[in-house]
Amino acid sequence: MRGVEQIPFLYDAMCAVLEATGLERWREWLVSGAKGRTLDVGCGTGRNLPLYASDVFVVGVEPSKDTLAKARRRAPTVPLVRASAEALPFRDGAFDTVVSGLVFCSVPDAAKGLAEVKRVLKPSGALRMLEHVRSTTAWRARWQDFVQPAWTAIAGGCHPNRDTETAVRQAGFVIDPETLRARDNMRRFSAHAASSANGASTPAQ
Ligand SMILES: C[S@@+](CC[C@H](N)C(=O)[O-])C[C@H]1O[C@@H](n2cnc3c(N)ncnc32)[C@H](O)[C@@H]1O
């Protein structure tokens, strides 16, 4: 599916406006906790990539060819792979951190994608997410349901009405409560595998 998300100049123009009005700080938080080998899943045009600390080894994954080409121009030294979240071409436990910025609204099979994220994360690893989600206000959620088909077609796969926090929990992650921030329909948080040894007592910052 091709839409705004897969047209780099349109997506970047839209993000520039959103970042100037507050999204930039959420992005900075998203990458700030990345450690060690880090997968930026659905890296898009690569807007997160220049923000990582120099001691973080980042790999980006993105299924859209044109979008990936823009990310390559933005971050020429970062290894980038054309692939989907539902079939990540990495071994089990390959990453210390997985970063997802505004991606799981668009992954067609979010449960499969999150299972893959869990597989490629080390058991002690962190999943850091920034997502827009289904509204907790009933009339807004109904509105999101109503506009979803047109929204998804125009945006290029994005669903405005996904309950991503529930999907993350159902995939076997625990959301670290200290990291969870909510503003309107935006969420950002860090999560770890429910069975991980570090447990909720040592959440990521
Ligand atoms: C809203 S953009 C976010 C891009 C980037 N992460 C950012 O923060 O600007 C969503 C991205 O998810 C990508 N995407 C869609 N389906 C995907 C999938 N199955 N696996 C990985 N990424 C996917 C889209 O191509 C798009 O680049």
Side-chain angles (χ1 to χ4, degrees), residues 5-6 11 15 27 40-44 47-48 62-64 67 83-86 101-103 106-108:
E5 284 183 2
Q6 291 80 28
Y11 181 72
C15 275
R27 262 194 202 288
D40 194 311
V41 65
C43 66
R47 298 187 78 82
N48 288 337
E62 164 61 43
S64 161
T67 305
S84 293
E86 298 98 323
L102 307 168
V103 175
S106 297
V107 173

